[in-house]
Amino acid sequence: MTALTLSTAGAATLRADALVVGVAKSPKGGKGLVVAPGAEAVDKAFGGKLATVLETLGASGAEGEVTKVPAPSGLKSPVVLAVGLGQAPEKDDAYAAETLRRAAGSAARALAGTRKAAFALPVEAVEDAEAIAEGALLGAYAFTAYRSAANGTAAKDAKGPVAEVTLLGGKPRDKAYKAAAERAAALAEEVNRARDLVNTPPNDLYPESFAAIATAAGKEHGLKVQVLDEKALVKGGYGGILGVGQGSVHGPRLVKLAYTHPKAEKTLALVGKGITYDSGGISLKPAGHNETMKCDMAGAAAVFAAVVAAARLGLEVNVTGWLALAENMPSGSALRPGDVLRMYSGKTVEVLNTDAEGRLVLADALTRASEENPDAIVDVATLTGAMVLALGNRTFGIMANDDAFRTAVHETAEEVGEASWPMPLPADLRKGMDSPTADIANMGERMGGGLVAGLFLKEFIGEGITWAHLDIAGPGFNESGPYGYTPKGGTGSAIRTLVRLAERTAAGDLG
């Protein structure tokens, strides 16, 4: 993990391998580039011509654009890295936190292999410092566990993340700034832990090994952990989780992680889809759709990371995480289209498509979570391709049984910089899941498939319990190039939203 330090040193006097500054397009109506606050001393070392030098090199100030220039005499760092901030705000306005977060992430990625980088981006308030720290630590991520270079043998081009980030203007002796830095470090570490899990190949990450990782983390951070193995699942009647997992040599698990605070008055339950590999089962996925299906446990990884983060931050709220873990494989013992499962709730489900398996494991976990009467339940899942078609690769959908809660979740996601969009649960789509054989089918109308999945899950929420469903099928795994603080591969989508929801719950902001 990249180290984070705060410093009140001047940008010109701090020794580092690279110095990061911000550059932006002139405010509306202006022309050319402007150097962002925080880099005044750097601009002075360039004779007040830093913006001109960058323009000469082709810099436009666009968000995330990175330009490196040799440092002139007068600076202790040999390299200046200018990162674009987009349009500069009008006078007296500040840069948005997400703009700073993404800029810091882009800079950190560009400085892979660097020992120490100093960030002299605009810091007008503690929130700015936290955003920069968070972005830098999230951007300084690399998954190298399976590269020979990680063992010191080959791959010369494999550069590790920047080793140390120093945030200038961070006021290390100020309690608020120190707390912000600690929050950013803890949150980034847990997001990166989830990214590692999503990126781990399925021959190493399967239900039992995931449960073992959760158990070890629970011991480290004082969580109560309960793991239900196959025997316990059979005894408890968890037909959904068992049905999905019965085709694999790796048996399913249901993991409960509980963080409690002695002063807590509210309880938030989080439920994550944990399909450690999804072949589609007997309803096998077509060629070209299997290669990234190790990511189908991103929801469980998000829930796991959020509960650990809540514990590390000492939030005054009880947070319970439920990881519904199974591997969906075709075999002689696999679930078949046409089979009927008796769920943990007692309802029966006719399975029309074994590739609609995530809702089956979630249904059991949602029923179990409801039994504890939490103040709210939020589930997270890479659930439907339909949601990707609707919202693209960077935005997750939010459905809920309470409009106010759905709005609150959406606002929370926006606050932390995660793209989301509220989606409806149209009652007319429920009829499509009527089954002549069972209480409900696991499939309905093809059009609006993401909403149909949400309606299915709603059937398994306890009466009177507020619930929201986050479908992160798009942003949970990034198959294109990295951008901002988001790497290629596992992203850690929804974790920051869940942690902020827990903080808002602790503060009583969610009712």
Side-chain angles (χ1 to χ4, degrees):
M1 181 70 180
T2 299
L4 173 66
T5 57
L6 305 179
S7 177
T8 55
T13 58
L14 183 74
R15 292 187 181 277
D17 298 299
L19 182 60
V20 177
V21 299
V23 62
K25 300 175 183 179
S26 293
K28 292 179 181 179
K31 294 183 179 179
L33 300 180
V34 294
V35 178
E40 291 84 358
V42 180
D43 188 34
K44 184 177 180 181
F46 277 89
K49 301 289 186 181
L50 177 56
T52 303
V53 170
L54 293 171
E55 284 185 42
T56 302
L57 293 173
S60 68
E63 285 194 12
E65 179 186 72
V66 169
T67 307
K68 290 183 181 180
V69 295
S73 58
L75 297 182
K76 298 295 184 182
S77 301
V79 174
V80 172
L81 184 149
V83 60
L85 298 171
Q87 193 87 45
E90 299 296 325
K91 188 178 180 181
D92 298 329
D93 289 339
Y95 286 92
E98 180 64 6
T99 297
L100 298 176
R101 195 180 289 116
R102 290 181 180 179
S106 295
R109 284 193 297 102
L111 292 171
T114 303
R115 186 183 61 83
K116 181 178 180 179
F119 283 65
L121 294 173
V123 176
E124 295 188 15
V126 66
E127 292 80 11
D128 298 332
E130 183 173 344
I132 295 167
E134 190 177 292
L137 295 176
L138 291 174
Y141 171 81
F143 184 66
T144 58
Y146 291 84
R147 290 190 177 187
S148 55
N151 298 319
T153 56
K156 295 178 181 178
D157 61 337
K159 297 179 180 178
V162 57
E164 181 182 350
V165 165
T166 298
L167 178 58
L168 302 182
K171 302 179 183 179
R173 294 185 181 180
D174 186 296
K175 289 183 179 180
Y177 279 85
K178 185 178 179 181
E182 290 174 351
R183 182 186 186 278
L187 193 54
E189 190 166 335
E190 294 313 317
V191 171
N192 288 339
R193 185 207 295 264
R195 290 170 170 178
D196 282 349
L197 286 169
V198 175
N199 290 328
T200 299
N203 57 316
D204 282 343
L205 189 74
Y206 42 89
E208 184 180 3
S209 62
F210 196 156
I213 291 169
T215 299
K219 289 180 181 178
E220 180 183 357
H221 297 289
L223 306 175
K224 274 190 175 182
V225 182
Q226 180 185 17
V227 179
L228 300 185
D229 61 13
E230 290 162 281
K231 289 183 178 179
L233 291 170
V234 170
K235 185 177 180 180
Y238 292 87
I241 297 174
L242 287 165
V244 173
Q246 70 188 42
S248 173
V249 294
H250 298 297
R253 299 287 188 273
L254 177 61
V255 179
K256 175 187 176 183
L257 303 106
Y259 161 70
T260 57
H261 192 284
K263 295 182 180 179
E265 296 180 354
K266 300 277 188 177
T267 297
L268 180 64
L270 308 176
V271 178
K273 173 187 172 183
I275 304 299
T276 56
Y277 182 75
D278 182 19
S279 69
I282 296 297
S283 305
L284 193 67
K285 292 180 183 291
H289 290 74
N290 280 306
E291 290 77 3
T292 60
M293 282 299 102
K294 64 181 181 180
C295 79
D296 214 18
M297 37 59 67
V303 166
F304 169 44
V307 176
V308 174
R312 291 181 62 173
L313 296 173
L315 304 184
E316 289 188 18
V317 58
N318 297 327
V319 184
T320 303
W322 300 88
L323 316 182
L325 309 176
E327 187 176 61
N328 188 24
M329 295 292 286
S331 72
S333 61
L335 187 66
R336 294 156 293 220
D339 282 354
V340 173
L341 301 176
R342 186 169 294 278
M343 311 297 282
Y344 179 73
S345 68
K347 289 183 180 180
T348 55
V349 176
E350 182 182 12
V351 178
L352 300 180
N353 187 329
T354 65
D355 196 23
E357 85 299 328
R359 64 199 69 182
L360 299 175
V361 300
L362 284 173
D364 276 355
L366 288 168
T367 302
R368 179 65 187 88
S370 294
E371 288 181 339
E372 299 192 352
N373 252 344
D375 293 283
I377 297 176
V378 179
D379 77 73
V380 187
T382 48
L383 204 58
T384 65
M387 196 56 57
V388 185
L389 292 174
L391 299 178
N393 292 316
R394 297 189 182 185
T395 303
F396 61 76
I398 306 171
M399 285 153 265
N401 61 1
D402 181 274
D403 289 346
F405 189 58
R406 181 184 61 190
T407 299
V409 174
H410 175 52
E411 291 173 348
T412 301
E414 283 192 324
E415 180 185 342
V416 301
E418 295 200 288
S420 68
W421 197 250
M423 303 293 283
L425 288 174
D428 61 286
L429 291 178
R430 169 61 182 86
K431 184 173 176 57
M433 289 184 284
D434 286 349
S435 165
T437 306
D439 296 326
I440 190 173
N442 78 327
M443 293 290 288
E445 293 183 29
R446 180 170 175 268
M447 300 303 176
L451 311 182
V452 170
L455 286 166
F456 180 90
L457 297 179
K458 184 182 176 183
E459 297 275 327
F460 297 88
I461 302 299
E463 187 176 352
I465 297 177
T466 301
W467 158 77
H469 160 58
L470 312 186
D471 190 335
I472 62 168
F477 193 81
N478 177 25
E479 294 187 57
S480 60
Y483 57 91
Y485 51 81
T486 303
K488 186 172 183 177
T491 64
S493 177
I495 296 169
R496 292 180 295 131
T497 297
L498 296 180
V499 173
R500 184 68 188 120
L501 276 174
E503 290 173 329
R504 291 188 64 186
T505 302
D509 290 345
L510 295 178

